[in-house]
Amino acid sequence: MKTVLMTAFEPFGGETINPSWEAVRALEGKQIGGATIVIRQLPVVFSEVLNVLNQALEELKPDAVLSVGQAGGRSDITVERIGINVDDARIPDNAGHQPVDEPIVAGGPAAYFSRLPIKMIVAAVREAGIPASVSQTAGTFTCNRVMYGLLHWLAQQERPARGGFIHIPYLPEQAAQHPGAPSMAAATIIQALEIAVKVTLETDEDIKQAGGATH
């Protein structure tokens, strides 16, 4: 049985919930596309988050990895194209740290492209009636750190798995505290993530025939 690792974050920035964790934890143990979903919660702490992620990667050696994070203000499911080698925090993390213009991996590549079939995921999510798009930036907070760190780890593997990052909107109960901010229901987000897992697990030949692109 294949394993898909899905990660999500604890609440941060004054929020009491994080929609990424609320959605991902609903998928724990579920079987999708012949794979079992295993989940991990990540801390919103620059100095700790990659240690937790890498421990899970080493332990599980998953066949695919989908990391999910909150993007308050976005209105759709956004599949990230690129993770960049910089931490530049607009707000402090949950430990009070606020790095500015610091590399994630000293001497590492400037950026990594997602190893997910990002356009196929977007197309499939849209076909299900859920707003989705490709995003060109995962920002420079801990979400980007996770995306870059994940792709850096995968690049060191002899047979790298598929992996990448997906941002999701606020839940309605969060948006109620941010007048004018868009939101998406938890059930809709969960459906979109299930679709993303299924598409990710499709064969390379399927992707080629469907005209999908990794980046």
Side-chain angles (χ1 to χ4, degrees):
M1 178 70 72
K2 293 182 177 180
T3 298
V4 174
L5 172 62
M6 298 190 73
T7 72
F9 289 95
E10 66 185 357
F12 71 99
E15 300 290 334
T16 58
I17 60 173
N18 190 312
S20 69
W21 180 244
E22 298 305 311
V24 164
R25 70 177 183 173
L27 297 174
E28 182 175 18
K30 188 162 186 175
Q31 294 187 8
I32 302 174
T36 300
I37 306 299
V38 179
I39 68 171
R40 292 289 189 274
Q41 187 181 68
L42 303 179
V44 182
V45 179
F46 282 95
S47 62
E48 297 178 11
V49 66
L50 291 186
N51 293 334
V52 177
L53 173 64
N54 289 344
Q55 182 178 355
L57 292 168
E58 294 289 351
E59 172 193 344
L60 297 169
K61 295 293 195 298
D63 297 281
V65 186
L66 275 72
S67 292
V68 186
Q70 168 189 299
R74 295 193 189 182
S75 60
D76 59 353
I77 302 294
T78 49
V79 187
E80 298 296 345
R81 187 192 296 268
I82 300 170
I84 61 174
N85 191 15
V86 65
D87 289 330
D88 191 26
R90 177 181 57 84
I91 59 174
D93 67 12
N94 283 352
H97 302 141
Q98 191 172 1
V100 175
D101 295 336
E102 295 181 7
I104 297 171
V105 177
Y112 285 106
F113 283 105
S114 174
R115 296 186 60 84
L116 298 177
I118 60 175
K119 291 186 177 179
M120 283 195 71
I121 291 173
V122 168
V125 172
R126 287 178 176 172
E127 188 175 354
I130 302 170
S133 63
V134 171
S135 168
Q136 309 302 337
T137 173
T140 53
F141 199 56
T142 50
C143 288
N144 175 73
R145 184 176 181 87
V146 164
M147 182 174 184
Y148 184 91
L150 166 63
L151 296 171
H152 184 72
W153 187 90
L154 291 174
Q156 315 308 311
Q157 308 308 303
E158 185 176 346
R159 297 182 63 185
R162 292 188 181 171
F165 200 96
I166 297 175
H167 267 120
I168 62 175
Y170 282 141
L171 294 174
E173 53 265 46
Q174 292 177 283
Q177 306 303 316
H178 300 277
S183 66
M184 186 175 287
T188 305
I189 294 171
I190 292 166
Q191 181 186 358
L193 294 180
E194 290 176 334
I195 293 168
V197 171
K198 184 176 182 296
V199 172
T200 297
L201 292 170
E202 291 179 348
T203 66
D204 290 332
E205 187 61 25
D206 288 339
I207 290 175
K208 182 179 180 181
Q209 291 177 359
T214 298
H215 55 266

